[in-house]
């Protein structure tokens, strides 16, 4: 799921929780964002700008609550979704095996914890589930278990009122399929990233990051495909 999926979503946030989210935003603390305390949605499930292929909707739910201990904000959360995903024909290699209707169970449950950087913070998320994934042993797409998540250690430094710096360290891990890629590619990802974000004002964000990556991703054509490498990312984002 992403924010461009076609669906209907309902959110509910009591006044005290909304006030805490607004305070977090005012303090310019990095976290999960304000998506309300509780949410329930029904959506297509086939991805952005994709037509429905199975007449079955995905169902998603999320709950998070920002706690306040003195001046420290801590936000635990839990989220889950379930549905059926149909592999589009343009994502299937010639020769790959699928089940009869090309439709697979697609479901996950995950937990999130945010300790907002005041000035040091942690953001972590982990999820488990099952979904379509390529199996090179059988040359087929099957429903298989998946798991993965990330943990980020970050900090906030204020140079002046509108001049902020956010250094961070992040580790990312994922073992499972990616349904929106060719043959629901099988992935094993281990990545470490160190970076720093500078916000000279509220309209501009500059990021420099260094990533050490070890990725294995395989489909019907790409077999025994492990790639290791390092990269530097430089990013500028304009806010309006």
């Amino acid at each position: 799921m992403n924010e461009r999926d076609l669906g209907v979503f309902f959110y509910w946030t009591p006044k005290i929780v909304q006030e805490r989210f607004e305070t977090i935003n005012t303090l310019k603390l990095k976290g999960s964002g304000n998506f309300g305390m509780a949410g329930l949605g029904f959506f297509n499930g086939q991805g952005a700008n994709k037509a429905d292929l199975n007449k079955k909707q995905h169902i998603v739910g999320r709950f998070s609550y920002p706690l306040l201990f003195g001046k420290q904000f801590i936000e635990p959360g839990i989220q889950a979704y379930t549905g059926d995903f149909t592999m589009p024909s343009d994502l299937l290699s010639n020769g790959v095996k699928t089940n009869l209707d090309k439709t697979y169970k697609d479901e996950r449950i995950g937990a999130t914890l945010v300790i907002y950087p005041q000035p040091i913070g942690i953001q972590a998320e982990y999820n488990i589930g099952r979904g379509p994934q390529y199996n090179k042993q059988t040359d087929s797409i099957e429903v298989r278990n998946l798991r993965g998540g990330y943990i980020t250690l970050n900090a906030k430094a204020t140079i002046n009122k509108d001049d902020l710096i956010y250094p961070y360290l992040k580790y990312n891990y994922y073992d499972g399929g990616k349904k929106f890629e060719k043959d629901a590619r099988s992935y094993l990802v281990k990545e470490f990233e160190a970076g720093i974000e500078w916000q000279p004002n509220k309209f501009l964000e500059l990021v420099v990051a260094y990533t050490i990556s070890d990725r294995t991703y395989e489909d019907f054509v790409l077999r025994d495909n492990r790639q290791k490498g390092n990269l530097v990312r430089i990013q500028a984002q304009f806010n309006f």
Side-chain angles (χ1 to χ4, degrees):
M1 176 190 173
N2 59 49
E3 295 176 3
R4 295 180 294 164
D5 262 303
L6 181 64
V8 177
F9 304 88
F10 305 91
Y11 297 96
W12 178 65
T13 307
K15 183 178 179 180
I16 185 173
V17 174
Q18 184 60 33
E19 288 175 347
R20 288 180 182 177
F21 277 126
E22 290 175 355
T23 301
I24 290 169
N25 183 62
T26 300
L27 295 174
K28 299 181 180 179
L29 302 177
K30 291 285 186 178
S32 63
N34 182 0
F35 292 93
M37 185 184 78
L40 177 66
F42 306 86
F43 63 102
N44 182 326
Q46 288 297 137
N49 304 316
K50 300 291 185 180
D52 182 44
L53 297 179
N54 55 39
K55 307 301 181 184
K56 297 179 181 179
Q57 304 305 307
H58 277 56
I59 302 172
V60 63
R62 182 178 186 268
F63 181 88
S64 66
Y65 195 94
L67 303 168
L68 182 60
F69 296 93
K71 294 184 179 181
Q72 177 66 59
F73 287 98
I74 299 176
E75 182 189 346
I78 187 170
Q79 53 274 337
Y81 75 77
T82 184
D84 293 317
F85 180 81
T86 300
M87 291 295 301
S89 297
D90 61 349
L91 290 183
L92 298 175
S93 299
N94 291 329
V96 70
K97 300 172 186 175
T98 67
N99 57 20
L100 188 61
D101 59 4
K102 301 180 178 64
T103 299
Y104 300 85
K105 180 57 66 176
D106 177 29
E107 54 190 12
R108 299 191 188 192
I109 183 170
T112 303
L113 176 65
V114 181
I115 301 176
Y116 287 90
Q118 297 173 277
I120 304 296
I122 296 174
Q123 183 171 332
E125 184 171 293
Y126 195 81
N127 76 107
I128 59 173
R130 56 179 180 153
Q133 180 180 346
Y134 177 72
N135 183 352
K136 70 177 181 180
Q137 304 301 324
T138 60
D139 281 337
S140 62
I141 299 173
E142 305 168 356
V143 174
R144 307 191 73 181
N145 293 333
L146 59 86
R147 58 194 175 116
Y150 69 90
I151 183 168
T152 301
L153 176 66
N154 55 7
K156 175 192 172 188
T158 303
I159 299 176
N160 56 54
K161 182 179 179 181
D162 295 317
D163 198 347
L164 306 173
I165 293 177
Y166 300 91
Y168 68 89
L169 299 172
K170 181 179 181 181
Y171 179 74
N172 181 49
Y173 173 83
Y174 180 70
D175 183 3
K178 290 194 177 182
K179 60 190 177 184
F180 296 131
E181 296 191 9
K182 198 74 170 181
D183 302 330
R185 284 192 182 103
S186 174
Y187 270 83
L188 178 59
V189 178
K190 300 175 184 178
E191 288 183 339
F192 174 78
E193 181 173 298
I196 186 167
E197 176 182 318
W198 175 36
Q199 294 184 11
N201 56 64
K202 65 180 181 180
F203 303 109
L204 178 63
E205 297 179 12
L206 301 172
V207 177
V208 177
Y210 182 74
T211 303
I212 302 171
S213 180
D214 183 351
R215 292 189 172 206
T216 300
Y217 53 101
E218 300 167 330
D219 56 37
F220 186 76
V221 176
L222 298 171
R223 297 167 181 266
D224 301 315
N225 180 39
R226 182 180 182 184
Q227 298 189 17
K228 301 173 69 175
N230 306 333
L231 64 93
V232 175
R233 174 170 60 92
I234 301 174
Q235 174 181 311
Q237 177 175 311
F238 298 93
N239 303 316
F240 56 90

